[in-house]
Amino acid sequence: MISNNSSEKETQNFQTDSQAAKLAILGGALTTFGDAITTVAAIMALEEERQANNNNDTKRLQKQIDYLTSEHEKLKRQLNNQKSYLRT
């Protein structure tokens, strides 16, 4: 009887250890999956920031182009006025 009880306890201990190992593997897999999601989220945040910076740069460049175009038009008008003044 004692050997039978001892055998049952060993089987229970093995099953408990086996379940603990399975839970440890599952926990590790979930942690790895969570880390992957965190990495993807960080990449997305960096990409959004880069795009926002590009949009700001584009707006700034467009503003400079508009200003330079305006100045060019003013200079053309001044030059045309001077030419017409010299003709008369």
Side-chain angles (χ1 to χ4, degrees):
M1 281 296 252
I2 294 175
S3 66
N4 192 16
N5 278 341
S6 175
S7 176
E8 285 178 17
K9 285 183 181 181
E10 286 178 18
T11 302
Q12 276 184 331
N13 286 342
F14 179 74
Q15 287 176 348
T16 302
D17 290 345
S18 177
Q19 287 175 345
K22 288 177 183 177
L23 286 174
I25 290 170
L26 179 62
L30 290 173
T31 299
T32 302
F33 184 68
D35 289 345
I37 290 173
T38 301
T39 301
V40 169
I43 290 169
M44 290 173 66
L46 288 172
E47 182 64 23
E48 287 174 3
E49 183 178 339
R50 187 185 65 80
Q51 287 179 352
N53 287 340
N54 283 345
N55 287 341
N56 289 339
D57 289 345
T58 301
K59 288 178 183 177
R60 184 179 52 79
L61 288 173
Q62 184 61 51
K63 189 174 181 178
Q64 288 177 348
I65 290 169
D66 293 343
Y67 172 76
L68 291 172
T69 301
S70 171
E71 290 298 310
H72 179 256
E73 292 297 323
K74 286 178 188 177
L75 290 172
K76 277 174 44 177
R77 281 192 299 271
Q78 287 176 357
L79 185 60
N80 285 335
N81 287 341
Q82 286 178 356
K83 284 183 182 179
S84 66
Y85 178 75
L86 291 175
R87 287 184 192 160
T88 43

